[in-house]
Amino acid sequence: MSHIEMPEWVRADIPEQVRRALHEDVGSGDITAELIPLEAEASARVITREPMTLAGTAWVDEVFAQLGGRIAIDWQHQDGDRVAADSLLFTLQGRTRTLLTGERTALNFLQTLSATATSAQRYADMVAGTGVTLLDTRKTLPGLRTAQKYAVTCGGCANHRIGLYDAFLLKENHIAACGSITGAVQRARELYPHRWVEVEVENFRELDEALASGCDVIMLDNFSLEDLRRAVTQVAGKVKLEASGGIDDNTLRSVAETGVDYISIGGLTKHVRAIDLSLRLV
């Protein structure tokens, strides 16, 4: 089994993410669950109907913790595990009302975060052995940024900046507003000397200026394979290089083989399809 370390900045968000999700689903109370005797108890099994990489166990645990009802959860797999279709993911035992009230919210988290991890795993498999690091972006579901960022790591990829607050990414409009790449990097260093500074470039003239600016990473936006290889040779390891833009399944491996350090892919988080899960009382 895999073991994925969950950062504190992810763990700290889970209670509020679950609280909001339960509020929108349960609202003033689950009137359908009131059909069931209050003290009735049951067991349930959750299976996946398709192959997947698991992510989101802590969110499921938190759903039932917040609902109460003394629900015992027995996980058969942990975050980061590759799981075959029709496999048992976990069992639940406890108050029937609570099991049914929490079912949809718990599975919503699990199917979405496992979908993200499965997407990331697919991309990671495509570049295995190249040495490149695949990065996510800020193209995440509102309110689930930290959850999806965590799920990406469960699938074997890595996180870019978490938000607008923890690193600089100087894009075309930022550079234009600051007057130049050099000016933008200088201002960033003055404001936050210890923050990561990345500069997006669209041509070799901008690449030269970015390299001289002292930034930490240069993003090569929509460079051809030939130009990516040229940039890697020209930079010669003086700064990290990230490829981005127009990269799909057909080109990903070729881009990775150019020698860039990073490839950022919005599809890790925004092109996911929920995993098909099923919960049944037994």
Side-chain angles (χ1 to χ4, degrees):
M1 285 189 174
S2 306
H3 176 69
I4 306 297
E5 192 70 33
M6 180 182 289
E8 182 54 36
W9 52 264
V10 175
R11 190 176 303 280
D13 278 354
I14 296 175
E16 179 60 19
Q17 289 167 344
V18 168
R19 187 198 65 77
R20 290 197 308 265
L22 286 172
H23 176 72
E24 71 180 5
D25 197 33
V26 181
S28 60
D30 181 356
I31 61 174
T32 310
E34 291 180 21
L35 300 173
I36 301 162
L38 180 61
E39 297 304 322
E41 294 201 350
S43 299
R45 303 170 78 251
V46 176
I47 66 167
T48 175
R49 298 190 183 279
E50 57 185 312
M52 57 174 278
T53 297
L54 182 63
T57 58
W59 284 261
V60 174
D61 291 344
E62 181 67 17
V63 166
F64 290 104
Q66 289 193 20
L67 287 173
R70 303 183 304 277
I71 302 299
I73 303 176
D74 183 15
W75 287 97
Q76 304 301 301
H77 301 275
Q78 60 183 343
D79 287 352
D81 285 354
R82 298 190 193 216
V83 184
D86 300 317
S87 294
L88 175 66
L89 296 178
F90 63 103
T91 60
L92 305 103
Q93 172 71 42
R95 187 169 292 173
T96 309
R97 283 192 183 188
T98 307
L99 292 178
L100 297 179
T101 296
E103 171 188 359
R104 186 69 269 149
T105 299
L107 294 190
N108 281 349
F109 278 114
L110 198 64
Q111 70 187 19
T112 301
L113 299 184
S114 293
T116 303
T118 303
S119 169
Q121 188 75 71
R122 185 176 73 85
Y123 282 110
D125 289 346
M126 291 172 64
V127 300
T130 64
V132 77
T133 298
L134 299 185
L135 301 174
D136 55 23
T137 70
R138 289 167 42 242
K139 297 173 182 177
T140 56
L141 292 169
L144 287 180
R145 170 70 54 81
T146 54
Q148 280 199 289
K149 288 278 188 177
Y150 167 72
V152 162
T153 67
C154 292
C157 296
N159 298 145
H160 205 274
R161 59 180 178 165
I162 306 306
L164 296 173
Y165 53 87
D166 60 327
F168 288 97
L169 177 49
L170 307 177
K171 300 173 84 68
E172 179 183 8
N173 289 332
H174 301 101
I175 293 165
C178 291
S180 67
I181 290 173
T182 303
V185 172
Q186 181 178 351
R187 182 61 175 152
R189 295 297 192 200
E190 291 171 353
L191 286 172
Y192 298 96
H194 304 297
R195 298 293 170 87
W196 193 262
V197 179
E198 180 169 358
V199 176
E200 180 184 74
V201 303
E202 298 178 344
N203 53 57
F204 282 93
R205 177 187 60 78
E206 293 177 350
L207 175 61
D208 289 339
E209 185 179 357
L211 186 59
S213 73
C215 64
D216 299 296
V217 182
I218 298 174
M219 178 187 288
L220 307 171
D221 183 40
N222 284 295
F223 275 45
S224 67
L225 289 174
E226 179 181 354
D227 285 346
L228 287 172
R229 286 189 284 267
R230 176 183 165 190
V232 169
T233 300
Q234 182 172 322
V235 169
K238 296 183 183 71
V239 68
K240 298 291 187 181
L241 292 177
E242 175 184 331
S244 183
I247 300 170
D248 57 24
D249 288 8
N250 297 320
T251 60
L252 178 59
R253 179 83 188 188
S254 297
V255 171
E257 290 173 343
T258 64
V260 294
D261 302 283
Y262 307 116
I263 301 173
S264 53
I265 304 175
L268 290 179
T269 52
K270 76 185 184 80
H271 291 162
V272 299
R273 178 189 57 78
I275 298 296
D276 188 7
L277 305 176
S278 174
L279 182 151
R280 289 288 184 270
L281 297 184
V282 293

